[in-house]
Amino acid sequence: MDYTLPDECRKYFRDPFGPLFPDIATAGSVFADCMIIAVGDVVTYNLVTAGILPDVAVIDGSTMREPCDHVVDLPVPEVGVSNPAGMLTGALIRAIEDAMNAGPCLIRVDGEEDLAVIPAVRAAPDGACVLYGQPGEGVVVITVDKNARDKADTLFRLFVAE
């Protein structure tokens, strides 16, 4: 099943989902000992550049809807899925869920990966860290626990099933 975020609900996704840090180095102590799920090309690139291989990375080849200059190639299995802007497709949700159990994985999205944070938090085990970029501000680090999962569930309920 696919899910669409109604235009009037987009405002709920503008504020950071968790603590905001200026960069990967500053945030490093928060995610040092956890499973890392990276959502976004720039965050993934910055992790890899810092010598950190995320357990799961979700990228779409763009940043702020422009082609991304930072090429991400990870030495891990890769899965390709389609996910149009403003949506969460069943294929993306399943790929994220499968990756949580399968070990290191790069999910390459044809479309847009921005909303992948929601299924990533919902599927990640307690103690995992989901990282994503807040454009022009830094990196958000969500440590997955019941509260984070409840917030992700609340945001997911804003989507309309198709």
Side-chain angles (χ1 to χ4, degrees):
M1 186 170 297
D2 296 336
Y3 303 87
T4 301
L5 182 64
D7 289 341
E8 65 271 14
C9 294
R10 292 180 191 271
K11 62 186 175 191
Y12 299 110
F13 291 79
R14 290 190 185 115
D15 292 332
F17 190 141
L20 176 65
F21 298 88
D23 52 42
I24 292 292
T26 308
S29 63
V30 176
F31 63 81
D33 295 320
C34 60
M35 175 184 196
I36 299 171
I37 299 98
V39 177
D41 294 71
V42 174
V43 167
T44 303
Y45 176 83
N46 288 337
L47 283 166
V48 172
T49 300
I52 301 163
L53 182 65
D55 296 280
V56 178
V58 185
I59 64 172
D60 64 7
S62 65
T63 183
M64 298 188 338
R65 297 195 172 83
E66 296 291 325
C68 186
D69 294 336
H70 305 302
V71 177
V72 177
D73 277 319
L74 300 175
V76 298
E78 186 174 314
V79 175
V81 297
S82 178
N83 191 80
M87 292 187 70
L88 287 171
T89 61
L92 176 60
I93 293 168
R94 279 188 304 281
I96 290 170
E97 291 170 349
D98 291 349
M100 295 297 168
N101 301 315
C105 180
L106 173 65
I107 301 170
R108 196 174 296 271
V109 176
D110 178 16
E112 191 172 279
E113 99 293 87
D114 296 10
L115 297 171
V117 170
I118 303 304
V121 171
R122 294 178 81 211
D126 282 353
C129 290
V130 178
L131 284 68
Y132 73 93
Q134 188 75 13
E137 296 186 51
V139 61
V140 177
V141 180
I142 305 160
T143 302
V144 177
D145 60 11
K146 182 183 180 331
N147 289 337
R149 206 170 282 109
D150 287 349
K151 184 172 181 179
D153 288 342
T154 297
L155 291 170
F156 186 71
R157 285 192 289 274
L158 297 172
F159 287 77
V160 176
E162 297 186 358

